[in-house]
Short mmCIF file of all heavy atoms in Angstrom, two decimals:
data_model
loop_
_atom_site.label_atom_id
_atom_site.label_comp_id
_atom_site.label_asym_id
_atom_site.label_seq_id
_atom_site.Cartn_x
_atom_site.Cartn_y
_atom_site.Cartn_z
N SER K 553 98.99 102.55 110.46
CA SER K 553 99.35 103.88 110.03
C SER K 553 98.17 104.83 110.16
O SER K 553 98.34 106.03 110.45
CB SER K 553 99.96 103.89 108.64
OG SER K 553 99.05 103.41 107.73
N ILE K 556 97.93 105.83 113.75
CA ILE K 556 99.03 106.74 114.09
C ILE K 556 98.71 108.17 113.56
O ILE K 556 98.85 109.13 114.26
CB ILE K 556 100.35 106.24 113.53
CG1 ILE K 556 100.79 105.03 114.28
CG2 ILE K 556 101.47 107.28 113.66
CD1 ILE K 556 101.91 104.21 113.68
N ALA K 557 98.23 108.20 112.33
CA ALA K 557 97.86 109.52 111.71
C ALA K 557 96.77 110.15 112.53
O ALA K 557 96.79 111.34 112.86
CB ALA K 557 97.42 109.31 110.29
N ARG K 558 95.79 109.36 112.91
CA ARG K 558 94.63 109.84 113.71
C ARG K 558 95.09 110.49 115.02
O ARG K 558 94.68 111.61 115.38
CB ARG K 558 93.65 108.71 113.96
CG ARG K 558 92.57 109.03 114.93
CD ARG K 558 91.86 107.71 115.34
NE ARG K 558 90.67 107.93 116.18
CZ ARG K 558 90.10 106.96 116.78
NH1 ARG K 558 90.60 105.75 116.81
NH2 ARG K 558 89.05 107.23 117.56
N ILE K 560 98.19 111.48 115.92
CA ILE K 560 99.09 112.67 115.73
C ILE K 560 98.33 113.90 115.31
O ILE K 560 98.55 114.95 115.90
CB ILE K 560 100.21 112.33 114.75
CG1 ILE K 560 101.17 111.30 115.36
CG2 ILE K 560 100.98 113.65 114.37
CD1 ILE K 560 102.23 110.79 114.41
N ILE K 561 97.41 113.77 114.33
CA ILE K 561 96.63 114.94 113.96
C ILE K 561 95.81 115.45 115.04
O ILE K 561 95.77 116.69 115.35
CB ILE K 561 95.75 114.55 112.72
CG1 ILE K 561 96.59 114.18 111.52
CG2 ILE K 561 94.86 115.74 112.31
CD1 ILE K 561 95.85 113.50 110.38
N LEU K 656 102.63 121.12 107.06
CA LEU K 656 102.78 120.20 105.97
C LEU K 656 102.80 118.75 106.37
O LEU K 656 102.16 117.86 105.73
CB LEU K 656 104.01 120.57 105.12
CG LEU K 656 103.89 121.87 104.32
CD1 LEU K 656 105.20 122.10 103.53
CD2 LEU K 656 102.68 121.93 103.43
N PRO K 657 103.49 118.36 107.46
CA PRO K 657 103.47 116.96 107.87
C PRO K 657 102.04 116.52 108.32
O PRO K 657 101.64 115.40 108.03
CB PRO K 657 104.45 116.91 109.05
CG PRO K 657 105.41 118.02 108.78
CD PRO K 657 104.60 119.09 108.16
N ILE K 658 101.32 117.41 108.98
CA ILE K 658 99.97 117.07 109.42
C ILE K 658 99.11 116.93 108.16
O ILE K 658 98.20 116.07 108.09
CB ILE K 658 99.41 118.13 110.36
CG1 ILE K 658 100.28 118.19 111.60
CG2 ILE K 658 97.96 117.83 110.74
CD1 ILE K 658 100.41 116.93 112.41
N ILE K 659 99.27 117.74 107.14
CA ILE K 659 98.57 117.59 105.84
C ILE K 659 98.89 116.23 105.28
O ILE K 659 98.03 115.52 104.78
CB ILE K 659 98.88 118.74 104.87
CG1 ILE K 659 98.21 120.04 105.43
CG2 ILE K 659 98.33 118.40 103.48
CD1 ILE K 659 98.70 121.29 104.67
N GLY K 660 100.17 115.86 105.33
CA GLY K 660 100.58 114.51 104.81
C GLY K 660 99.90 113.37 105.56
O GLY K 660 99.43 112.43 104.90
N LEU K 661 99.85 113.50 106.89
CA LEU K 661 99.07 112.45 107.64
C LEU K 661 97.60 112.49 107.29
O LEU K 661 96.97 111.42 107.37
CB LEU K 661 99.38 112.68 109.15
CG LEU K 661 100.79 112.42 109.58
CD1 LEU K 661 101.00 112.81 111.03
CD2 LEU K 661 101.19 110.95 109.41
N SER K 662 97.12 113.61 107.05
CA SER K 662 95.69 113.71 106.66
C SER K 662 95.42 112.99 105.29
O SER K 662 94.36 112.36 105.11
CB SER K 662 95.21 115.13 106.48
OG SER K 662 95.42 115.85 107.70
N LEU K 663 96.37 113.09 104.40
CA LEU K 663 96.30 112.35 103.16
C LEU K 663 96.36 110.81 103.39
O LEU K 663 95.74 110.08 102.61
CB LEU K 663 97.40 112.78 102.18
CG LEU K 663 97.27 114.26 101.72
CD1 LEU K 663 98.48 114.64 100.87
CD2 LEU K 663 96.05 114.51 100.97
N VAL K 664 97.09 110.37 104.39
CA VAL K 664 97.09 108.94 104.76
C VAL K 664 95.67 108.56 105.15
O VAL K 664 95.17 107.52 104.73
CB VAL K 664 98.08 108.72 105.93
CG1 VAL K 664 97.87 107.29 106.47
CG2 VAL K 664 99.52 108.92 105.50
N LEU K 665 94.98 109.44 105.97
CA LEU K 665 93.62 109.11 106.29
C LEU K 665 92.66 109.09 105.10
O LEU K 665 91.84 108.17 104.95
CB LEU K 665 93.10 110.11 107.37
CG LEU K 665 93.73 110.10 108.76
CD1 LEU K 665 93.08 111.17 109.65
CD2 LEU K 665 93.63 108.71 109.38
N LEU K 666 92.82 110.07 104.24
CA LEU K 666 92.03 110.08 103.00
C LEU K 666 92.24 108.83 102.14
O LEU K 666 91.32 108.21 101.67
CB LEU K 666 92.30 111.31 102.13
CG LEU K 666 91.58 112.56 102.52
CD1 LEU K 666 92.00 113.67 101.56
CD2 LEU K 666 90.09 112.41 102.49
#
Side-chain angles (χ1 to χ4, degrees):
S553 59
I556 292 169
R558 172 191 186 196
I560 290 173
I561 297 167
L656 291 182
I658 300 300
I659 290 169
L661 290 171
S662 300
L663 294 174
V664 169
L665 292 180
L666 275 179

